[in-house]
Amino acid sequence: MKTALITGVAGQDGLLLSKFLLSKGYRVVGLERSGNAAILDRIRDILDQIILVRGSIQDQSLLVRLLEEYDPCEVYNLAAHSFVPSSWGQAILTGEINALGVTRILEAIRSVNPKIRFYQASSSEVFGNAVETPQNENTPFRPRSPYGVAKAYGHSITVNYREMFGLYAVSGILYNHESPFRGLEFVTRKISLGAVNIKLGKARELRLGNLEARRDWGYAGDYVQAMWLMLQQSKAEDYVIGTGEIHSVREFCEIAFARLGLDYREYVIVDPRFYRPNEDTLLVADASKAHRQLGWRPSVNFCELVEMMVDADWMALSHS
Ligand code: GDR
């Protein structure tokens, strides 16, 4: 039986990747920093199927111990501060976890078992104020937030350990990926839940930032499969993963509210508090390398994704 270690296991991607690996017969060891009941609630369905370890990727001796004790053949580093705007208020902590944390894991792998295959969750935010659109694996990094800067470090240190020490270590540059398990602070879930609350009479309005902001949004379930595929190749390489399509926050609202028979224009209020600086460039993926080499393609389109999220929130709330 293969064993995988997933850091950040109680996040959206940690949950979906765990389910995927369990379905493939893996033993899953999950590292989770937070003991927060609301966060752990997300993985309640799989708690009896995985080995859950409480701790942080900042704890070097814990990482070494985990690799020695459970002997994983694959490590997926999904632990991160993942909300971009709040990285400005936690710039140092973001650097310690999203950047240095990656080096800690790579060092642990190098010292315990250099044969372990390593996946680093890189992000389209490394392109920041991008020099070209769409972006591919060769597009230069121009991050524009402490989050993006830290992810650029995590990406580059992964490449360096691969080249210097011959580790099978890859970075997946993933664009926005969503699901019913998305955290409530991200715009997609804020909209799906907000619309459902309005439909149920529990809220009267939904306050959002820039409705014209555009993103390349895909379904997270597809993206965790790409992570796994990246570790099954004969050669370790980095890949851009995204749909190649962009849609606006406004379009997301339109479809989400319409799913519930509502017109978003009657409920959505633009609130400058949620506006972000440095959002002039379009972040959109050129995932042709992943199509070609991994055979990976998204299976859920934008409209299906929005409706899936609204339906899930509706099912959960209208029956509670
Ligand atoms: P993002 O995701 O920052 O792209 O990072 P988020 O859902 O927060 O924002 C997407 C876009 O929506 C606009 N927006 C709003 N965003 C939020 N959160 N709240 C609002 O009210 C609102 N109104 C408009 C934003 O300006 C932005 O353009 C996600 C995270 O998962 C990262 O960890 C990951 O690296 C990247 O995607 C790829």
Side-chain angles (χ1 to χ4, degrees):
M1 184 192 256
K2 283 181 154 187
T3 299
L5 170 65
I6 303 175
T7 71
V9 75
Q12 165 191 263
D13 293 2
L15 169 64
L16 291 170
L17 180 62
S18 295
K19 286 186 167 186
F20 177 71
L21 294 178
L22 288 169
S23 76
K24 289 208 158 290
Y26 280 71
R27 177 174 71 149
V28 173
V29 180
L31 183 63
E32 183 53 44
R33 184 178 49 99
S34 170
N36 184 311
I39 292 177
L40 289 179
D41 190 48
R42 181 160 30 200
I43 55 169
R44 66 178 181 278
D45 288 351
I46 57 161
L47 271 178
D48 57 348
Q49 298 169 63
I50 67 170
I51 299 166
L52 182 67
V53 180
R54 283 277 307 282
S56 167
I57 59 169
Q58 288 178 284
D59 184 345
Q60 186 74 27
S61 59
L62 171 66
L63 293 173
V64 168
R65 210 154 17 92
L66 285 178
L67 299 188
E68 285 174 347
E69 186 174 341
Y70 295 108
D71 192 24
C73 55
E74 295 170 7
V75 172
Y76 296 85
N77 181 32
L78 311 185
H81 272 267
S82 59
F83 193 43
V84 179
S86 69
S87 71
W88 288 104
Q90 295 183 304
I92 294 169
L93 190 60
T94 300
E96 279 173 356
I97 294 176
N98 295 13
L100 263 191
V102 186
T103 315
R104 291 189 194 284
I105 300 174
L106 287 163
E107 272 299 311
I109 289 176
R110 196 162 80 84
S111 67
V112 176
N113 176 8
K115 289 206 161 51
I116 291 172
R117 295 190 166 204
F118 175 68
Y119 172 83
Q120 166 58 14
S122 192
S123 161
S124 51
E125 289 294 310
V126 298
F127 298 126
N129 186 9
V131 294
E132 60 184 357
T133 299
Q135 299 83 36
N136 62 39
E137 293 77 8
N138 300 316
T139 302
F141 292 174
R142 295 214 301 182
R144 284 297 178 275
S145 64
Y147 172 90
V149 172
K151 282 287 180 183
Y153 173 100
H155 182 111
S156 299
I157 201 70
T158 301
V159 174
N160 273 259
Y161 270 61
R162 174 169 78 221
E163 291 177 353
M164 189 68 186
F165 302 115
L167 298 187
Y168 190 113
V170 305
S171 278
I173 307 177
L174 271 49
Y175 285 64
N176 299 53
H177 44 286
E178 321 294 312
S179 77
F181 305 108
R182 191 55 147 147
L184 305 180
E185 65 274 40
F186 298 97
V187 76
T188 54
R189 188 75 196 290
K190 191 173 166 185
I191 297 168
S192 66
L193 193 62
V196 166
N197 276 329
I198 288 169
K199 180 74 181 178
L200 290 171
K202 293 180 180 171
R204 279 202 298 240
E205 61 180 37
L206 175 62
R207 291 184 169 266
L208 296 172
N210 183 6
L211 299 187
E212 309 317 325
R214 287 185 285 173
R215 283 288 189 269
D216 179 336
W217 277 296
Y219 171 52
D222 289 336
Y223 289 47
V224 299
Q225 296 196 23
M227 297 174 187
W228 176 78
L229 282 169
M230 284 180 221
L231 294 196
Q232 314 308 314
Q233 306 304 304
S234 53
K235 188 163 168 254
E237 291 184 41
D238 307 316
Y239 295 88
V240 159
I241 300 292
T243 67
E245 266 184 40
I246 43 167
H247 296 274
S248 65
V249 173
R250 186 184 295 283
E251 283 173 79
F252 201 104
C253 289
E254 214 172 317
I255 299 171
F257 279 78
R259 182 73 170 171
L260 298 164
L262 302 173
D263 181 343
Y264 79 96
R265 289 172 296 187
E266 292 172 28
Y267 306 99
V268 171
I269 293 175
V270 173
D271 187 334
R273 273 186 309 152
F274 298 111
Y275 264 76
R276 294 188 197 171
N278 308 318
E279 282 210 311
D280 304 335
T281 35
L282 279 184
L283 291 178
V284 53
D286 169 1
S288 47
K289 180 179 171 187
H291 300 164
R292 220 173 32 246
Q293 291 183 210
L294 301 178
W296 178 87
R297 288 203 181 259
S299 72
V300 176
N301 71 30
F302 178 68
C303 187
E304 291 166 341
L305 175 64
V306 181
E307 294 183 346
M308 175 203 299
M309 293 180 70
V310 172
D311 291 355
D313 279 328
W314 176 256
M315 283 296 286
L317 288 185
S318 63
H319 292 86
S320 65

